[in-house]
Amino acid sequence: MRAFTYERATSAAGAAAAVAHHAGAKFLGGGTNLLDLMKLEIETPTHLVDIQDLKLDQIEATHDGGLRIGAFVSNTTLSANPRVRRDYAVLTRAIQAGASGQLRNKATTAGNLLQRTRCPYFYDTNQPCNKRTPGSGCAAIGGYSRQLAVIGTSDTCIATYPGDMAVALRALDATVETVDATGATRVIPIADFHRLPGATPEIDTVLNHGELITAVTLPKPVGGAHIYRKVRDRASYAFALVSVAAVVQPDGSGRVAFGGVAPKPWRSAAADAAIPHGAAAVVEQAFAGARPTHDNSFKLTLAKRTLAAAMAQVRTA
Amino acid sequence: MKFDTPAGINPIDRMAVVGKPHDRVDGARKVTGTAPYAYERHDVVPDALYGFILGAAIAKGRITGIDTAHAQAMPGVRAIVTYQNAGKLTLGSKNTAKLLAGPEVEHYHQAVALVVADSFEKARAAAAAIHVDYGRAAGHFDLAAAAKSAKSDGGEDEDGSKSPPIDRIGDFAGAFAAAPVTLDATYTTPDEAHAMMEPFATTAAWTGDALTVWTANQMIAWTREDLATTLGLPKDKVRVDSPFVGGGFGGKLFLRADAVLAALGAKATGRPVKIAMQRPLMFNNSTHRPATIQRIRLGADRSGKLTAIAHECTSGNLPGGSPETATDQTKLLYAAPNRLTAQHLAVLDLPEGNAMRAPGEASGLMALEIAMDEMAEKLGMDPVEFRIINDTQVDPEKPERPFSQRQLIKCLRDGAATFGWSARDARPGRRRDGDHLIGLGVASAFRNNINFKSAARVRLGRDGVVTVETDMTDIGTGSYTIIAQTAAEMMGVGIDRVVVRLGDSDFPVSAGSGGQWGANSSTSGVYAACVKLREAVAARLGFNAPDPDFIDGHVRSGNRSVALADAAKDGDLVAEDTMSWSGLSRKYQQSTFGAHFVEVAVDAYTGEIRVRRMLAVCAAGRILNPKTARSQVIGAMTMGVGGALMEELVVDKRFGFFVNHDLAGYEVPVHADIPHQEVVFLDEADDKVSPMKAKGVGELGLCGVGAAIANAVYNATGVRIRDYPLTLDKHLDWLPTV
């Protein structure tokens, strides 16, 4: 771990300014990912701005019937919230499928969105990794890629976005609210929040340096059956090989996002439109143009079968 | 004391203390955090400096330059040890690769430097600031590719002698060709990590030219010897103390880099130094269970009698390393007149392969017991019955050698009845529970019994307390407790009147912990010392009878009864002895047996495999403590679930290292993976193995678990997976359409 300085911000715009004016600065939320990465010198911030005093820990109703979730709300609190459980059950199920009770107590809503990839080559600083060290190469391409992405990849990076919560947020059409050093705010649709790697895999999201997430907003409830199905090699405490967040309406229409398959939660309008035609049709649309490796081509079959399981669950629910 | 004739009736047979499910005598210390582990020896070594190990960034090649100047200048850094300033280091007799690299690098994450600093964080930061230049050399990292050039190597027998590389009995080729029912299949097992909870850890301090290491180690005498060799010290200048060990599984059998580097760091700074190896180094800077490629051929007549058995295994290792002896059990488990077992060893430039819990049998049974399941199906026989009709009561290679005790058939029959085996449908893929395919599987368990020389010292104090000292280790197995029970039984006192002190090289040399030999061997050493102490007590108290009884804190013969403590009222009585073995293991094959039964559920959509219930029936001689023995077996069953379903050190065949080198990437079972587990011990006492009449269970519990799971998965799905671990991608394409 490199030496760094630390401050506790007292306002959101102030926090944004503190990071914006310091080239190597980062925000610190629950620290469940950032601090681990700092110990391994994968992240080497020179300054940390702690946002725990900003009172971003509220969940409140929005005027249009949705929910506004403060950036600092913990995963545990969010997943247990009665309105979330009632109206956005796919979110509760996704959060509870991730990590462990201890980690969920500490992990925050904004921090979880910013969780970095779990690609093993990203974690080993002896190995080339374009996401960790731009231009160094990608050891995962041609290496051990069973867990990695099958679509949305580039010739520089095949890492997955590892989280569960964001997959549900993608299915729910959440938006991400931010503030910058000038106090200006913007609202980013979750669909646009995470980037594909292209030639710059080191940039995970569209956030600018010094732009602070203040909240995640859910639109008004859409009803339907809410399913989150996560498939992994062991029963708990593992990242998804494939996960499916699905919301299916009584008329058979719905929306579906996939996790564990791409650099971002993966959803497409064409795939949603295919839901009435069954899992195979959805996966054909969602994964058109997929470029799996030898190690992870099974994820295409698994995605189809997992979605079929989710849809069967809807029918029997 | 020499054990060379079968045991008669002795004080252990009373089983007033031995054989009872006593709680661990060290349990309270562990759960209150007062048991001293190697990295936390503030009690004896205050103010230790912190060491941090830098691992090599390449698998094979040379260090062409090390720049430590920047790191050396960082705050709090006291010393940096590399091959350039470490002095001469000699390879220990039990190490294959050097514990400090330089200039050549033999494997990935081989230690390149140690930084010693005032805090862990400062040492870690400085280690990251060391710049090392390497010249990378080509290496062999792919077992399947290297297998073509593998040489025959039988490995070592239990007594350390070389086994024949190819063992032939009868005419395998002829019998196999003539057999009406045959199987020829190849199975693979991956490299596996011990992944014990406590990493390698050592606190080291020098007093003049004498070194003490408080470390986490299973084999105190081996490690003392190899540490002395490595550092060029006389053995009597090295003390190794390892009273508590947070898991080993074979990973802590040997001297490792933590102990050597802590000693060098302490020498360089003149201060005590402590090191706990960081988790990401624990997978490449350690030994591991080597991957295997196993070909099995079975031939049988139509009645199901095996006529031909062949088992060939290929594994790899660093030059000078040994093979994974995965054919061991095949020499002994089933009858057949024509047999062939062979082992091949390829050179690989991966980290050293070596013992991990049930080395040989664990991997070998993962293959053999699938093959038996496949063969039973070909024969149209129940797999339990198929095993039973091929049982043998003698060593099939040397029929003049009977087994000392062998109740494999009873294990299988009792297990089948207890588990409800008759509910199994022999036709795979027929049983469903909602969205799950349900299957049952069985496998035999087999692990040889090994006895090692073991010594102990026993002291009777004037307060009547019996103190046992031996360098035996307790790696979570329950050694403290069974040794206390043994001494209590022998001296006729309650277990609360016994103090057990372990793991110190100043104590008499024991068998140590490994190969499931520890329980029987170390308690036999305590038995021997107690026999001597009883003689001393009897003499001191003036008993003329040859063998008075020691019961309830008294010594009795005829009408005379004297308090035991009276024998020490004029001073402690001390006795020391060594148990050694000769003869009986040549005359009788000594092994442990069991049967594993497993029920699995396979998600018909996703192919996810989850174990629903498990049963182990074990025949392992006298069970010294049913509670700690059960803990050993359920822990082993849990490890078996990991080996069957998820554990694999993934080799990057380009760069030559285990990629998933942390506990996020190397998955072991979590609580949610482990269902109801049941363990049954047959009531046995094996008089051919020791006066304790006990054998080991800690490795038996693992042997066969993987195959029982694999067979249950096949029964559930009808898709046979022959490559471990059984992950869902290996059968997904063949599962029923959804």
Side-chain angles (χ1 to χ4, degrees), chain B residues 492-568:
Chain B
V493 297
I495 196 168
D496 58 332
R497 306 297 287 165
V498 179
V499 172
V500 180
R501 303 175 65 200
L502 299 181
D504 189 333
S505 62
D506 285 349
F507 299 153
V509 174
S510 73
S513 297
Q516 80 173 17
W517 63 62
N520 182 45
S521 299
S522 71
T523 54
S524 294
V526 173
Y527 172 95
C530 286
V531 167
K532 268 202 175 166
L533 184 60
R534 285 165 63 113
E535 288 165 6
V537 167
R540 177 74 61 90
L541 295 177
F543 280 89
N544 296 320
D547 198 4
D549 291 329
F550 287 63
I551 294 176
D552 298 336
H554 285 74
V555 186
R556 289 181 193 147
S557 181
N559 295 329
R560 185 159 176 242
S561 176
V562 185
L564 176 69
D566 286 0

Side-chain angles (χ1 to χ4, degrees), chain A residues 1 39 41 120-121 124 126-127 139 141-144 146 229 231-236 238 298 301-302 305 309 312, chain B residues 57 108 124-125 128 603-606 608 610 650 652 654-655 657 659 661 667-668 673 727-729 735-736 738:
Chain A
M1 185 181 275
K39 291 170 188 174
E41 297 202 5
Y121 297 97
D124 188 334
N126 292 327
Q127 302 304 325
I141 295 173
Y144 171 52
R146 181 170 177 270
R229 187 69 189 262
V231 179
R232 43 193 158 175
D233 290 321
R234 65 181 171 191
S236 178
F298 75 93
T301 309
L302 184 60
R305 296 184 75 110
Chain B
Y108 195 69
R124 181 177 61 191
D603 189 300
Y605 285 97
T606 63
E608 290 161 287
R610 303 287 184 250
V650 178
D652 186 309
R654 305 161 303 167
F655 302 128
F657 70 106
V659 182
H661 53 69
E667 291 184 14
V668 297
D673 291 301
T727 49
L728 60 89
D729 45 306
L735 293 182
V738 294

Side-chain angles (χ1 to χ4, degrees), chain B residues 143 205 245 404 422 498 711:
Chain B
L143 177 61
V245 181
S404 62
S422 59
V498 179
N711 295 339

Side-chain angles (χ1 to χ4, degrees), chain A residues 41 60 125 190 214:
Chain A
E41 297 202 5
E60 56 207 17
T125 51
I190 187 76
T214 50

Side-chain angles (χ1 to χ4, degrees), chain A residues 198-305:
Chain A
T200 52
E202 70 277 15
I203 307 170
D204 288 352
T205 71
V206 297
L207 292 176
N208 299 311
H209 180 69
E211 187 175 8
L212 175 70
I213 299 173
T214 50
V216 170
T217 299
L218 300 174
K220 72 174 196 245
V222 296
H226 286 228
I227 309 284
Y228 191 76
R229 187 69 189 262
K230 180 178 183 180
V231 179
R232 43 193 158 175
D233 290 321
R234 65 181 171 191
S236 178
Y237 202 52
F239 294 97
L241 295 169
V242 166
S243 69
V244 169
V247 177
V248 182
Q249 302 300 336
D251 66 1
S253 68
R255 36 174 86 186
V256 59
F258 295 89
V261 293
K264 60 190 288 185
W266 200 250
R267 182 180 168 199
S268 75
D272 283 0
I275 287 177
H277 306 295
V282 173
V283 168
E284 195 176 314
Q285 290 297 333
F287 291 90
R291 298 198 307 170
T293 67
H294 176 267
D295 283 358
N296 67 20
S297 59
F298 75 93
K299 287 190 174 188
L300 298 175
T301 309
L302 184 60
K304 184 175 69 187
R305 296 184 75 110

Side-chain angles (χ1 to χ4, degrees), chain B residues 184-202:
Chain B
D184 182 349
T186 298
Y187 307 85
T188 64
T189 63
D191 296 289
E192 286 184 4
H194 304 91
M196 55 285 200
M197 196 183 303
E198 180 198 35
F200 297 141
T202 296

